[in-house]
Amino acid sequence: RAKALAGGPGAERQGGPTARAAGEDIGGVAGLLRRLERVEDSRQRAAELFRWLVAPVAPGEFLGRHWERAPLLVRRGDPGYYAGLFSTAEFDAALRGGGVHFGTHLDVTSYAEGVRETHNPSGRALPAVVWDFYQNGCSLRLLSPQTFSPTVWQFLSILQEHFGSMAGANTYLTPPGTQGFAPHYDDIEAFVLQLEGKKHWRVYSPRTDAEVLPRFSSANLTQAELGEPVLETVLEAGDLLYFPRGFIHQGDCLPDAHSLHITVSSYQRNSWGDLLEKLLPAALQMALEEDVEFRQGLPMDYLRYMGVSNSDAVNARRTAFMEKVQSLIKKLIDYAPIDAAVDQRAKSFLHDCLPPVLTQNEKAQSVYGFPARWQDGRPRDVDILITKDTEVRLLCHGIIRLCNEEEGMMLYYTTENSRVYHQEEPKFLEIDPEHTDSIEFLLSSYPNHVSVDALPCETLEDKISLATLLFEKGILTTKKPLMQA
C-alpha cells in the first residue's frame, strides 16, 4: 500500500480541490506558459513558475521546511496538471527525428536481482531498437529533453532564473513491473514530476553526516546498505516528489502500469564551499601581492616541531606557529574579493544557462524578428535604425552579467547559448569602462523601457552605438518593433 510514513519528514500534502482547480484554470503546462508570457518581469515569471511547481505548498513553507532538509510529497489528484510538458508520444517523435544517440542522449538500463546494467549500443537510437529494449523490460532515460522539446526548454529557461543556478532535466520511461536504477543518492535538488502512469518510490535519509548535501553522487547501493525509508508512496500523474541531494531513493513500476516522469534538477555545485573555492585562492593571491607579512619566510627550524610526528608535543614554538597561521587566515578575509568571486560564479551560471525562449511579442521587438531579407535581387530592410527616442529594455533580467576581469570589462550573456549543455563557449562582449554605468542603468530600470537618450553615455553617438550593439546580440528589445525608413 502506498504510504508516507507517519510523522516522517515527507508527510503527504493533499492538493484537493485547490490544486485541481489551479490545474484546470491554467490548462496544464501549455496554459501556464501562455499565462506567464503575459508577465513582464522575468524574475516574477520565474517566481510564479516555482509557485506552481510546489503548489499547493507555499514557496516560503517549502523553503523553510523542505529545501535541503526533507522530502516533500504532493498529491494533486489532477492527472492533467503537467499536461503538455512531455509525453511518450514526444519521446517517440524524438526517436523518429533521428537526432537521438545512445549514450549521448539516451541510456537503456535495467536493475534486477541487485544488479544494475546499462545496455547502450553505439550510434543512433532507432525506434525499432529502442522499443525492443523497452518491450524486453529495460528503462529508457532521455538526457536533457530540452534539446528535443521546446516546452521543456521554455519551462527550464524560466525556472533557472528563480534558482540562480542551472535547471536541468532527464525523463524516465519505465515498463510495468520493472526497475531501471539501483538505490543511490544524487548531488542535485530533485523534483520528480509524474507525467504518465504511476511509480512506487522509496526515499531514505542520508546514512551519515558526510552524506548530507553531498557534492558528488553516490555509487550504486545495495538493499543491504539501506535502512527503513522515511517516505514510501506511489506517484500518480500530476503528483510531485521532491528530495534534497544526499537522500537515497529508488523507484519501481507496479505490474499494472508503465511510468513516465521528468526529474527537474538544480543546485549542483552551488554551495558556500564552491564559492570559497573561487574566493580563497584569489584572496591569497591578493594578500601575497599587497601584504609583506604573507611573503615573510617561515621559521628556519619549523620542521623540527611541526608536522604529524610532532602533533602531540606541547611547546611554545608550536603554539606560536599555530597562532601565526590563524592570524594570517583571519587577515586573509580583508583581501577576499567577494564580489569578484560571486561574479565568476555568475559567469559560470550564464554559461550553464539555456537561452531564453522568446514570446511572439519579444520576437517582434528584438533582432530575431527583424525583417531583413533577400527580395527582388538584393537585401531589404537591413539597417537597424535606433535613434535617441527609441525605447529599449533588457530581454530578461537574468541574461547578462558584468565582470571586471584582467582583460577589461566583460559583459557575459545567454542569448547565444545552445540548448545542448556547453555546446558553445561562453558568450561575452568587451565593454568600454565608460559604458558600465549604462549597463547598470538598464539592469536597474528593468522591466521598464527607457529611451536610448537616457543612457548615461557621454555622447549621443555612444548611446546609439551601445544600444545597437546590445540589440544585435538579442540582449535588448524595443518597446515597439523598429520601423524601417
Side-chain angles (χ1 to χ4, degrees):
R1 185 171 63 86
K3 58 183 178 178
L5 301 187
E12 297 185 27
R13 296 296 302 260
Q14 295 292 339
T18 302
R20 177 177 290 278
E24 289 171 356
D25 288 346
I26 61 176
V29 172
L32 169 68
L33 294 177
R34 284 196 299 272
R35 181 170 64 82
L36 291 179
E37 286 179 357
R38 298 193 291 270
V39 177
E40 287 292 319
D41 191 328
S42 62
R43 295 164 296 186
Q44 183 184 345
R45 197 182 303 161
E48 287 294 321
L49 178 51
F50 182 74
R51 182 183 302 276
W52 174 90
L53 180 64
V54 298
V57 179
E61 180 184 350
F62 172 80
L63 292 173
R65 295 183 58 185
H66 296 280
W67 179 252
E68 293 190 327
R69 291 180 176 87
L72 170 69
L73 170 65
V74 176
R75 290 193 177 285
R76 294 198 172 97
D78 183 359
Y81 197 79
Y82 303 126
L85 180 56
F86 196 75
S87 66
T88 47
E90 289 178 85
F91 202 136
D92 183 62
L95 295 176
R96 293 181 180 281
V100 180
H101 288 74
F102 289 111
T104 304
H105 308 114
L106 182 69
D107 286 327
V108 179
T109 68
S110 65
Y111 177 74
E113 299 180 354
V115 178
R116 154 79 161 84
E117 292 184 276
T118 299
H119 307 278
N120 292 344
S122 59
R124 184 174 297 171
L126 298 174
V129 178
V130 173
W131 293 126
D132 184 62
F133 274 122
Y134 177 84
Q135 191 166 271
N136 282 282
C138 291
S139 289
L140 307 175
R141 175 171 63 182
L142 184 64
L143 307 168
S144 300
Q146 61 269 24
T147 305
F148 306 98
S149 166
T151 306
V152 176
W153 168 26
Q154 185 176 7
F155 188 92
L156 297 177
S157 71
I158 296 172
L159 196 59
Q160 67 193 4
E161 189 165 350
H162 179 78
F163 289 122
S165 175
M166 176 190 168
N170 290 326
T171 60
Y172 299 81
L173 180 61
T174 309
T178 69
Q179 181 170 337
F181 293 88
H184 66 282
Y185 61 76
D186 292 316
D187 58 351
I188 46 91
E189 301 300 299
F191 298 82
V192 177
L193 286 61
Q194 189 70 29
L195 304 179
E196 296 175 9
K198 54 188 177 180
K199 197 166 200 177
H200 170 229
W201 284 89
R202 285 167 285 175
V203 181
Y204 310 79
S205 292
R207 298 171 299 174
T208 66
D209 288 345
E211 292 182 357
V212 174
L213 303 180
R215 296 187 70 217
F216 303 98
S217 298
S218 73
N220 293 329
L221 304 174
T222 65
Q223 300 295 333
E225 295 176 277
L226 309 179
E228 289 297 314
V230 293
L231 188 150
E232 183 172 5
T233 190
V234 173
L235 283 191
E236 298 185 1
D239 293 345
L240 170 74
L241 174 62
Y242 159 81
F243 42 84
R245 55 197 190 274
F247 275 74
I248 300 165
H249 52 278
Q250 59 179 326
D252 60 278
C253 269
L254 302 177
D256 61 338
H258 79 286
S259 168
L260 178 70
H261 78 262
I262 185 168
T263 298
V264 174
S265 62
S266 192
Y267 259 61
Q268 187 179 49
R269 315 281 190 276
N270 201 42
S271 67
W272 286 103
D274 293 294
L275 174 63
L276 292 174
E277 270 192 340
K278 293 278 189 184
L279 179 60
L280 294 181
L284 182 58
Q285 184 61 39
M286 193 171 294
L288 285 166
E289 292 174 2
E290 298 185 10
D291 191 331
V292 68
E293 189 176 3
F294 285 84
R295 302 195 300 270
Q296 290 172 345
L298 291 162
M300 290 184 182
D301 61 347
Y302 82 102
L303 295 178
R304 300 177 188 173
Y305 52 84
M306 296 306 300
V308 174
S309 61
N310 299 303
S311 60
D312 293 331
V314 178
N315 63 61
R317 291 177 299 175
R318 274 189 63 83
T319 300
F321 191 96
M322 299 293 282
E323 289 176 349
K324 177 69 171 181
V325 171
Q326 292 172 8
S327 170
L328 289 175
I329 290 174
K330 290 178 181 177
K331 198 174 183 182
L332 198 61
I333 296 171
D334 297 332
Y335 297 95
I338 297 173
D339 287 320
V342 168
D343 283 341
Q344 290 304 304
R345 293 283 308 168
K347 169 183 166 181
S348 296
F349 166 50
L350 261 64
H351 188 207
D352 295 344
C353 275
L354 286 163
V357 177
L358 276 63
T359 67
Q360 288 302 312
N361 284 341
E362 287 170 341
K363 185 175 181 180
Q365 294 156 6
S366 73
V367 70
Y368 300 105
F370 203 72
R373 64 199 181 282
W374 179 270
Q375 182 178 319
D376 299 331
R378 65 185 182 90
R380 297 276 184 173
D381 297 333
V382 175
D383 295 331
I384 296 172
L385 301 178
I386 289 178
T387 71
K388 67 182 183 66
D389 297 319
T390 304
E391 293 183 272
V392 297
R393 70 165 216 177
L394 295 173
L395 173 64
C396 299
H397 189 271
I399 62 171
I400 61 170
R401 189 77 182 196
L402 199 58
C403 296
N404 188 0
E405 302 186 340
E406 290 183 9
E407 300 83 0
M409 293 299 300
M410 302 297 178
L411 183 69
Y412 289 86
Y413 60 96
T414 66
T415 53
E416 295 180 0
N417 284 2
S418 169
R419 288 159 68 176
V420 178
Y421 179 70
H422 284 191
Q423 187 177 52
E424 301 285 340
E425 293 298 314
K427 303 300 181 185
F428 62 90
L429 298 167
E430 185 170 358
I431 297 293
D432 189 316
E434 295 179 359
H435 292 166
T436 56
D437 287 345
S438 293
I439 301 297
E440 292 167 359
F441 176 68
L442 288 166
L443 279 165
S444 63
S445 300
Y446 181 85
N448 298 317
H449 289 83
V450 295
S451 69
V452 170
D453 195 38
L455 296 177
C457 297
E458 286 192 6
T459 68
L460 179 58
E461 182 182 358
D462 284 346
K463 297 176 183 184
I464 292 175
S465 176
L466 178 61
T468 302
L469 174 63
L470 298 178
F471 182 84
E472 289 175 344
K473 290 297 181 182
I475 295 169
L476 287 188
T477 62
T478 55
K479 191 171 186 178
K480 299 177 181 178
L482 290 177
M483 301 300 292
Q484 299 302 303

